[in-house]
Amino acid sequence: MKVKKVASGLLLCFALISIGFALGKEVTLRRVRPASEDGAASGYQVMVYYMYPSIRCVTCNKIEKVARDIVHEDYAEAVKGGRLKWREVNISENDELAGRYNVASSTVVVVRLKDGREVGFERLDKVWPLAEKPAELTAYIRESVRSALEGGGSQ
């Protein structure tokens, strides 16, 4: 009888953990879905990813806030019009995306899309050296986003 209770408890724990894992994976997939899959207009778009590991430091959070604020405040019209998107991606949970952009720590990646297909990207590696220089960090990220929206950028 005791074995039956223990087995039932273990099965219940397994079921709950499986459900939690499935829900977490679905939420992650929805957060990193390409712009073309979430109803954005076709044509030219820019996706700004803030990519981070599971454990973040104060500097990581600062870089994220600066980049997010630039996207949502400086380019609010582009966001509203669907030309610019912001996504946060935990690289520990998304090996495919981290590998595609060769990301191993917190950084910003600006991706250019044409009709839902990637046509180029820029990994903003200078965010770390500029993290303690707010004006330069802001200018660096702002210029990269502006350039991508205009169709420029590297790679």
Side-chain angles (χ1 to χ4, degrees), residues 3-140:
V3 172
K4 195 173 185 179
K5 284 186 178 183
V6 169
S8 295
L10 288 173
L11 284 173
L12 179 60
C13 286
F14 177 76
L16 291 174
I17 289 170
S18 297
I19 290 169
F21 179 78
L23 288 172
K25 189 167 185 153
E26 177 63 23
V27 167
T28 299
L29 288 174
R30 286 183 184 198
R31 289 179 77 180
V32 299
R33 185 174 30 193
S36 61
E37 292 179 22
D38 56 29
S42 63
Y44 189 78
Q45 297 175 313
V46 173
M47 175 72 72
V48 178
Y49 288 110
Y50 173 69
M51 304 179 99
Y52 61 92
S54 293
I55 299 174
R56 295 194 256 180
C57 64
V58 172
T59 305
C60 298
N61 292 327
K62 182 189 307 183
I63 292 167
E64 176 186 10
K65 181 181 180 345
V66 169
R68 183 180 52 243
D69 289 351
I70 288 168
V71 168
H72 290 294
E73 294 171 11
D74 294 7
Y75 298 102
E77 287 300 315
V79 171
K80 185 177 178 184
R83 289 191 56 233
L84 179 62
K85 302 263 184 194
W86 168 263
R87 293 284 185 271
E88 297 163 14
V89 178
N90 183 332
I91 60 174
S92 303
E93 297 173 0
N94 194 315
D95 294 335
E96 188 273 326
L97 213 53
R100 181 185 312 166
Y101 302 118
N102 195 25
V103 173
S105 65
S106 296
T107 196
V108 177
V109 179
V110 180
V111 179
R112 296 183 321 280
L113 304 163
K114 176 73 175 162
D115 296 324
R117 297 185 57 169
E118 184 178 311
V119 294
F121 75 91
E122 181 181 11
R123 191 181 62 231
L124 306 185
D125 293 331
K126 294 180 185 173
V127 294
W128 280 94
L130 297 176
E132 297 305 318
K133 301 172 185 174
E136 291 178 43
L137 175 64
T138 299
Y140 174 59

